[in-house]
C-alpha cells in the first residue's frame, strides 16, 4: 500500500529543537517532490516546506524560513524536518505529504511550551 508515516514529535521548550521524520512506502519515493504541512490549533492546514526529488532544491513558508530545514534520504526512503529556534507559535500537528499520489500521513504532534 501507498503510505507515509511521521514520527519524532513531542514536547520541547521555546528556543529548543526537534527533528521530525517520515518513512515512505508503496511508491517510487525518489521520483517525486515531498512536502511538510502543519495544522495549528483552530487553524486550517498550512504548507511548511517542499523538497525536490533529488533533494537539491527546497522552499519554505515565510513563517519557518531560516529556522526549519527539510531534507530527504532516497535510499532510506525518508523525509525529515529539522526544526530549530522553536516558539509557541510552532505548536501544531505536522504532516508528511506526497503530492503525486495525494498521500497523507496521520501526523505527529509538536508542542512548544515552557
Amino acid at each position: 500500500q501507498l503510505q507515509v508515516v511521521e514520527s519524532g514529535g513531542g514536547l520541547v521548550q521555546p528556543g529548543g529543537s526537534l527533528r521530525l521524520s517520515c518513512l515512505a512506502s508503496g511508491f517510487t519515493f525518489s521520483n517525486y517532490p515531498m512536502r511538510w504541512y502543519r495544522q495549528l490549533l483552530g487553524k486550517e492546514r498550512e504548507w511548511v516546506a517542499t523538497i525536490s526529488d533529488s533533494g537539491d532544491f527546497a522552499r519554505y513558508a515565510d513563517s519557518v524560513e531560516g529556522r526549519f530545514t527539510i531534507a530527504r534520504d532516497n535510499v532510506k526512503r525518508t523525509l525529515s524536518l529539522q526544526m530549530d529556534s522553536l516558539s509557541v507559535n510552532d505548536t501544531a500537528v505536522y504532516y508528511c505529504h506526497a503530492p503525486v499520489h495525494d498521500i497523507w500521513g496521520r501526523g505527529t504532534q509538536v508542542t512548544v511550551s515552557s
Side-chain angles (χ1 to χ4, degrees):
Q1 63 274 34
L2 286 68
Q3 66 177 4
V4 293
V5 180
E6 304 94 339
S7 63
L11 176 65
V12 64
Q13 295 185 20
S17 298
L18 279 177
R19 185 175 186 271
L20 307 182
S21 64
C22 168
L23 179 62
S25 61
F27 65 99
T28 309
F29 178 75
S30 61
N31 284 1
Y32 307 110
M34 295 289 293
R35 295 172 177 169
W36 284 102
Y37 280 77
R38 69 184 183 185
Q39 186 168 19
L40 282 66
L41 184 64
K43 304 295 184 181
E44 295 185 352
R45 185 172 56 193
E46 64 183 35
W47 169 75
V48 173
T50 299
I51 190 168
S52 64
D53 56 354
S54 66
D56 292 337
F57 304 98
R59 297 289 184 271
Y60 300 91
D62 289 344
S63 59
V64 307
E65 180 77 51
R67 299 187 299 118
F68 290 12
T69 303
I70 188 171
R72 68 192 298 160
D73 186 329
N74 285 343
V75 175
K76 296 181 178 179
R77 300 173 61 86
T78 57
L79 178 74
S80 67
L81 186 68
Q82 177 66 43
M83 305 184 295
D84 299 321
S85 301
L86 286 163
S87 76
V88 294
N89 298 318
D90 297 313
T91 295
V93 178
Y94 285 73
Y95 298 91
C96 178
H97 182 230
V100 66
H101 296 302
D102 196 26
I103 303 169
W104 294 90
R106 291 180 294 179
T108 185
Q109 176 71 49
V110 173
T111 301
V112 185
S113 176
S114 59

